[in-house]
Structure formats: structure tokens, C-alpha cells
Amino acid sequence: MDFDPMVMDAESLGPSVKITDATAHSVDFELQSVDLSFANSLRRTVLAEVPTMAIDLVEIEANTSVLADEFITHRLGLIPLNSKNVDDVIYSRDCDCEQYCELCSVTLTLHARCTGDEIMRVYARDLVVDPLRANQWVGNPVITDPEGLGTVICKLRKGQELRMKCIAKKGIAKEHAKWAPTSAVGFEYDPQNKLRHTDLWYEEDAEKEWPKSKYAGWEEPPQEGEPFDYDAVPERFYFEVESVGNLEPDAIIQQGIKVLQQKLAAVIQDLTEGDTQTNGVNGHGYDAPRSPEDVGMNGAWGQDQGYATPFGNGNGAQEPPQPWGGSATPYGATPYGQQNGWANGR
């Protein structure tokens, strides 16, 4: 990541950002000239609403390993996939195809068979990416170890075999953690606790029993006998963002700001037009990021037939709608969320 210190440290009337540390997989920065609600909104958006790619469907042709189909499918879904320029991929709900195509998904194939006496490990590098995709980056397994092997999928003994086709789709972490772009987002303000938003439990002396934050030295400590300011508000916010590897840290923040801008713009548009009959998903307002299968009747929220989560409600098909799902079983056609021979990578 390349940053211009002259630009980043320039005085501005709006929000200001000061980057304190940056690596290939993490970035620490200080955000100023915003209120607490905005800073926390950015944190929540970065955590849950930045779109990425992840394996969502798995067609298992052969599995003679000791691990169950659902176990391997879950492991495949949690393998980080490169999501650079993920905006080139459209959501499945917006695609005209029946289930998936090169415009809304990326196909990966896995075929491994152990023929020797030694235990064979199957790694993420063994996933073969179909060249028919939105761009040259999306869908590639993220491999960061020095050996270039990637995540271990399973182990095979002599004669055991894995043969399957995986479909990666675009989604957000609000639906499932496998779409999360970050492994952690640290968020802190008022390290000296001047505002007394934190009530520290202690036995004898809070100063001795609670270690100081590393940001405590960046702000002036409260003076002894200083009166409490009831009008004081936090002004400096400290972020620590760690990527799982599917997106660069700066791209995660930029995407989070973009999503937040779109949501605020939709609110302003709805308030300006003054139409109380339509908003959000069912109207003309901001259609927030959703899961790939999040398509229902008349554009309603909810999984198709309770496909993979217990919160589907059958897209409103049940009367009255039930809170535990919406198909033959709470999780879809089978207790494991499979339909038509497909296992869902969740």
C-alpha cells in the first residue's frame, strides 16, 4: 500500500485520517473530526457489509476420505478467496442465469487421489480455478505461507479420493462469516477514560490493576481534581484492521466507506422525495448488500425456501410467517441444507 504523507497529514475541514502503521495484511489509523456514531458505523460496515468472494455451493462427485461431505464443504467455504475488483462480479440475485454463471460466480475444481503409502495432504493450492470469470483475480485461493501450499483441506490415505466442483459467489459477512474481509477490527477511543464511558472493576486500585492502552500516551491524562466535563465528546478514534487476505486493508476501508455512502445517500433520497410507501429492498431506496441466494417473492428479504439459514421464513410463503425457517425442514430440503445434490458451503 502506498500512501502520500503530505496528503494524509494535510489540514482539512472534514474528517481526517492519520495512518500509524501499515503492512500487507493490516493497517492502523487514527480518525478525527467525526462523531462516535459515524466512527462506529464505519467499524460495523467494515466488519459485516464489505462484499467478498467465498465458496457457496459444492457438488461432490467422490469422497472416500474419513471426513463427511458436510465437514469438507464447510472447510472449503472458509478458505479465503481473492476478491480484488469484486465489483466486477454481480450478485446471483441480480443475474439472469438459473443458478450460476461466469458473470455471478467462479468455478473451482478439486481432484485429489492418494496412490502412495504415505498420508497425502490436500491443500488450497490444489483447487483449480476456471478461467471463465469476471477478472483475473477473483476466486484465486489466498496462499500466504512460505511453502505456497495454503490451507489444509483434508488428509487422504492410500486409495482415498476427493473429486468435487465448487462454486464461489459474492456475498457479505452479515449473512455468513466466510464472506468476512477482516479477521479482526480493533476500535478504541478515550484511552484515558476521561469521559467515563467505561466502568473499570477493581479490587484496590484501578490504575495498578488495569494496564494502559498503547494509545494512552497519545492523549493528555486527566489532571487531579479536574472537574468532569458533561459536554465533552470523543474526538479521536483508533482503528486496527486486519485482513484475512482476500482484500488489501486499504481496499477494505475504501469499500466500507463506499457502502456507508450508498446507504446514507438512499436515506437522503427517500427523505427528500417524501414517499412513505416505498423504501429499502421493496422500493426504490438503497438495496443493501445481501447473500447470493437472498432472492424472494417480489424482491422480499429472506432465503429462497429457507435454503441455508433457519431465518428464511419461506420468503413470506407461510401463513403466518414462522421465525424458524420456511421449507420442508427449518434448514431447507434436508437437515444439512442440501438441495438437488448440492451441498451448501456454510
Side-chain angles (χ1 to χ4, degrees):
M1 298 178 292
D2 297 326
F3 304 102
D4 187 346
M6 298 299 295
V7 175
M8 302 306 296
D9 295 336
E11 294 184 2
S12 174
L13 298 178
S16 62
V17 175
K18 179 181 179 181
I19 297 175
T20 58
D21 185 32
T23 66
H25 300 290
S26 64
V27 61
D28 300 348
F29 64 93
E30 178 185 344
L31 180 62
Q32 298 186 37
S33 302
V34 299
D35 57 22
L36 177 58
S37 60
F38 177 86
N40 190 51
S41 297
L42 178 60
R43 178 190 68 87
R44 291 170 61 91
T45 304
V46 167
L47 277 171
E49 298 193 52
V50 173
T52 63
M53 297 293 294
I55 293 175
D56 193 48
L57 299 173
V58 179
E59 183 180 35
I60 299 176
E61 301 177 12
N63 175 23
T64 57
S65 69
V66 297
L67 300 180
D69 294 353
E70 295 77 19
F71 195 98
I72 295 179
T73 299
H74 184 263
R75 292 183 64 83
L76 288 169
L78 295 177
I79 294 177
L81 302 180
N82 195 322
S83 301
K84 184 177 181 180
N85 293 348
V86 73
D87 289 339
D88 296 341
V89 182
I90 63 178
Y91 285 99
S92 294
R93 68 176 185 272
D94 299 326
C95 191
D96 296 330
C97 65
E98 292 186 1
Q99 193 171 30
Y100 64 89
C101 66
E102 64 273 10
L103 299 178
C104 63
S105 65
V106 177
T107 301
L108 303 92
T109 57
L110 175 64
H111 187 195
R113 181 180 177 85
C114 181
T115 58
D117 295 329
E118 298 293 328
I119 294 177
M120 174 183 176
R121 290 175 172 83
V122 182
Y123 296 95
R125 69 169 183 180
D126 298 319
L127 290 166
V128 180
V129 184
D130 193 318
L132 294 178
R133 48 182 170 164
N135 59 52
Q136 60 181 325
W137 299 288
V138 292
N140 291 332
V142 175
I143 299 175
T144 58
D145 57 293
E147 294 78 14
L149 301 175
T151 307
V152 177
I153 299 174
C154 72
K155 299 178 182 180
L156 301 177
R157 293 299 298 265
K158 185 175 182 179
Q160 294 179 343
E161 179 184 14
L162 275 183
R163 187 168 67 251
M164 54 190 63
K165 180 167 70 172
C166 311
I167 307 300
K169 294 187 177 184
K170 180 180 174 181
I172 59 173
K174 183 180 286 187
E175 168 62 21
H176 194 284
K178 66 184 178 184
W179 279 298
T182 61
S183 57
V185 176
F187 176 71
E188 184 180 353
Y189 67 92
D190 187 26
Q192 298 286 357
N193 199 28
K194 288 183 178 180
L195 304 177
R196 301 179 187 174
H197 287 185
T198 303
D199 187 12
L200 301 177
W201 180 91
Y202 62 93
E203 293 182 346
E204 296 180 359
D205 188 352
E207 292 292 329
K208 296 180 179 179
E209 296 174 20
W210 285 90
K212 289 290 186 181
S213 164
K214 69 176 184 179
Y215 300 109
W218 297 21
E219 298 186 13
E220 290 294 330
Q223 302 298 320
E224 185 176 356
E226 179 182 356
F228 181 74
D229 185 359
Y230 290 92
D231 296 324
V233 293
E235 298 177 347
R236 303 171 66 179
F237 305 92
Y238 308 98
F239 285 80
E240 297 179 1
V241 179
E242 182 179 348
S243 169
V244 299
N246 46 16
L247 285 172
E248 293 185 349
D250 59 330
I252 295 175
I253 303 301
Q254 292 171 7
Q255 286 288 331
I257 294 174
K258 179 181 177 181
V259 171
L260 196 55
Q261 287 176 328
Q262 291 173 340
K263 300 178 81 170
L264 294 174
V267 172
I268 294 174
Q269 178 184 356
D270 289 340
L271 292 176
T272 303
E273 294 182 0
D275 187 350
T276 60
Q277 298 299 319
T278 57
N279 57 44
V281 176
N282 295 321
H284 56 75
Y286 172 57
D287 191 5
R290 290 175 283 161
S291 65
E293 305 297 336
D294 203 356
V295 287
M297 299 175 62
N298 300 322
W301 282 76
Q303 294 285 337
D304 183 12
Q305 301 298 317
Y307 179 69
T309 99
F311 306 101
N313 289 329
N315 298 323
Q318 297 183 357
E319 292 294 341
Q322 300 298 317
W324 50 78
S327 188
T329 73
Y331 296 91
T334 76
Y336 300 101
Q338 299 180 12
Q339 291 183 344
N340 302 325
W342 289 88
N344 190 274
R346 308 184 180 191

